[in-house]
Amino acid sequence: RYYKNELEPELKKVKKGNNSERLLEVVSRVERHFEPLIKTCKGNAAKAQIFLVLGDLERYRLKYGEVKTALVRAHNYYLRALVLDPQEGRTYGMLATLATMEGESPAAVHWCARSEWVQHK
């Protein structure tokens, strides 16, 4: 609830305003909110969703400077989500997005195809 009611609207507002310093501050706050939940969360699907959110937050960082470290962290979060819930098609899509951002077309095609396969299975 805290994320949906307070952090998500703030994150959307800051993204629209294109204030990179404020965005990074909000992203850090959201990360601090989610990381402890992984330990207390029950069920792999729920944990995978948290890793997806954390990966998304790292992608926001990519736009505002911290490119190399954010790319690695986003990739790791998405892979952790994939291990926990391999039937979640969005995870494959996010890995395809990262591969595209890196200019890795073959990897992007692979992840995109896997996403479609899982979603239509």
Side-chain angles (χ1 to χ4, degrees):
R1 284 187 206 188
Y2 174 68
Y3 176 73
K4 277 280 187 210
N5 295 339
E6 294 181 38
L7 295 175
E8 188 176 49
E10 186 176 356
L11 193 57
K12 286 180 181 176
K13 187 172 87 176
V14 172
K15 279 172 57 181
K16 280 184 184 175
N18 206 20
N19 181 344
S20 61
E21 189 174 301
R22 179 79 178 114
L23 178 64
L24 291 173
E25 178 186 314
V26 173
V27 165
S28 294
R29 208 166 83 216
V30 174
E31 281 180 328
R32 284 192 305 272
H33 172 73
F34 273 100
E35 285 176 343
L37 294 178
I38 294 166
K39 294 175 185 149
T40 60
C41 195
K42 293 186 172 124
N44 285 347
K47 287 179 184 178
Q49 290 301 312
I50 292 172
F51 283 122
L52 277 171
V53 169
L54 291 170
D56 291 347
L57 293 170
E58 290 302 328
R59 277 192 309 108
Y60 295 144
R61 286 182 193 273
L62 285 170
K63 291 182 180 181
Y64 298 101
E66 301 175 24
V67 177
K68 282 291 182 193
T69 56
L71 192 59
V72 169
R73 283 193 307 257
H75 193 261
N76 287 337
Y77 281 136
Y78 291 141
L79 287 177
R80 289 172 79 180
L82 185 63
V83 167
L84 290 168
D85 189 5
Q87 299 307 310
E88 173 58 65
R90 187 171 152 245
T91 307
Y92 296 98
M94 294 299 98
L95 286 164
T97 300
L98 286 181
T100 301
M101 294 169 86
E102 291 178 278
E104 296 290 333
S105 297
V109 170
H110 166 79
W111 291 119
C112 192
R114 292 286 304 265
S115 173
E116 288 298 314
W117 182 76
V118 168
Q119 290 178 20
H120 292 80
K121 192 172 160 186

